[in-house]
């Protein structure tokens, strides 16, 4: 009886921590983070991490238990870093989309053939030359996926000055506003074309940059804010395309302390298909701030959503206009 009374009126240390962490859900990002830092400093890192991991795991496993064998999860190897969490996220998104379709809710529209026309050469086999390799991915690989669209066609839709796929399809799906697209710093009309004009060497496209900006919609943690991005071509040939993106977000909390780097590596696999690997990495030019870990975590989660949506948008338009 005494033990029952003690448990009822005198909670344990871990129970107190769990109650405090649960209450953080109702607090703003700026309030909860310093409190967590204090708890860590007091030596309570283990129970805090244990509670957070338990809550996240419970949510995912409840979903898995509910769906059962309907889940189509694929566990990737360590080298690809495609984790169970991302696989579950993609399954949840697919499940939500099916529920919306069954309920008759609006689905994302198809504006038109924004991927451009099919290109004859995309039907051929793709055989990389000996010694071919892609640049190493960034710190965290958020998505690795095979796409049902020809390499040259996809390259045109992403890079060509004649294409509006990124602005009118992908950015619209992301609910971006106030989009301003720049131009390539060199070979503006040649980059992205299925075949380079006579006298133009495609190797000169490497190093070309393009700037653009957009207003990102508000989220649960931050208000709507402007983002400023720069694309740079790292690799450009008949077998691959690698784009590295630098994004600055000066209007978000601690936005002046970090740079978001994302990389899109696309490999020509032939037969109207290609493989895309998306990765992300955080850079802190002036040293890591107190909330560096939270910034990295938020960056990974946000870009994972973005990567998945890019793949979905490409597939949706490829299905509508084969």
């Amino acid at each position: 009886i005494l033990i029952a009374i003690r448990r009822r009126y005198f909670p344990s240390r871990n129970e107190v921590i769990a109650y405090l962490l649960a209450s953080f859900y109702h607090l703003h990002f700026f309030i909860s983070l310093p409190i967590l830092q204090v708890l860590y400093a007091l030596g309570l890192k283990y129970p805090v991490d244990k509670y957070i991991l338990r809550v996240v795991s419970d949510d995912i496993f409840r979903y898995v238990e509910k769906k059962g064998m309907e889940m189509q999860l694929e566990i990737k190897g360590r080298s690809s870093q495609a984790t169970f969490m991302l696989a579950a996220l993609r399954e949840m998104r697919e499940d939500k989309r099916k529920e919306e379709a069954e309920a008759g809710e609006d689905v994302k529209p198809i504006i038109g053939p924004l991927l451009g026309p099919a290109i004859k050469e995309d039907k051929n086999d793709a055989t990389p030359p000996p010694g071919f390799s892609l640049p190493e991915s960034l710190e965290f690989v958020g998505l690795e996926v095979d796409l049902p669209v020809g390499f040259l066609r996809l390259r045109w839709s992403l890079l060509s000055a004649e294409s509006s796929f990124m602005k009118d399809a992908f950015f619209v799906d992301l609910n971006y506003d106030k989009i301003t697209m720049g131009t390539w710093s060199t070979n503006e009309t040649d980059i992205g074309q299925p075949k380079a004009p006579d006298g133009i060497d495609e190797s000169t496209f490497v190093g070309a940059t393009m700037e653009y900006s957009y207003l990102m919609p508000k989220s649960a943690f931050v208000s709507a804010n402007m983002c400023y991005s720069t694309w740079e071509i790292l690799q450009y040939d008949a077998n691959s395309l690698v784009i590295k993106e630098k994004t600055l977000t000066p209007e978000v909390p601690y936005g002046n302390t970090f740079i978001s780097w994302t990389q899109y590596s696309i490999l020509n696999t032939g037969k109207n298909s290609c493989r895309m690997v998306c990765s992300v990495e955080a850079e802190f030019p002036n040293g890591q701030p107190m909330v560096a870990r939270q910034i990295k975590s938020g960056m990974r989660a946000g870009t994972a959503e973005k990567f998945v949506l890019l793949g979905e948008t490409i597939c949706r338009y490829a299905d509508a206009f084969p």
Side-chain angles (χ1 to χ4, degrees), residues 11-25 39 44 47-48 50-52 54-55:
S12 66
R13 184 189 68 168
N14 286 351
E15 288 173 336
V16 171
I17 294 174
Y19 176 80
L20 290 174
L21 290 173
S23 67
F24 288 175
Y25 177 81
L39 292 175
L44 301 177
V48 169
K50 181 179 179 181
Y51 178 80
I52 294 175
R54 189 183 72 187
V55 170

Side-chain angles (χ1 to χ4, degrees), residues 96-123:
K96 181 180 179 182
R97 187 168 56 185
K98 289 179 180 178
E99 290 178 355
E100 290 176 349
E102 292 172 358
E105 296 182 18
D106 293 336
V107 295
K108 291 183 173 64
I110 301 291
I111 299 175
L114 299 185
L115 285 177
I119 298 173
K120 181 180 178 181
E121 289 75 11
D122 279 333
K123 296 180 180 179

Side-chain angles (χ1 to χ4, degrees), residues 111-184:
I111 299 175
L114 299 185
L115 285 177
I119 298 173
K120 181 180 178 181
E121 289 75 11
D122 279 333
K123 296 180 180 179
N124 302 332
D125 292 323
T127 306
F132 171 83
S133 64
L134 289 171
E136 186 176 351
S137 295
L138 300 183
E139 179 182 8
F140 176 75
V141 176
L143 179 68
E144 184 174 349
V145 63
D146 292 318
L147 299 172
V149 60
F151 171 76
L152 296 176
R153 186 184 184 193
L154 180 60
R155 188 178 71 179
W156 179 90
S157 67
L158 296 178
L159 303 184
S160 175
E162 302 170 357
S163 171
S164 62
F165 174 78
M166 292 297 290
K167 181 178 180 180
D168 295 339
F170 181 46
F171 290 169
V172 168
D173 285 355
L174 286 168
N175 296 317
Y176 288 171
D177 196 8
K178 298 183 179 179
I179 304 166
T180 302
M181 302 293 295
T183 58
W184 289 108

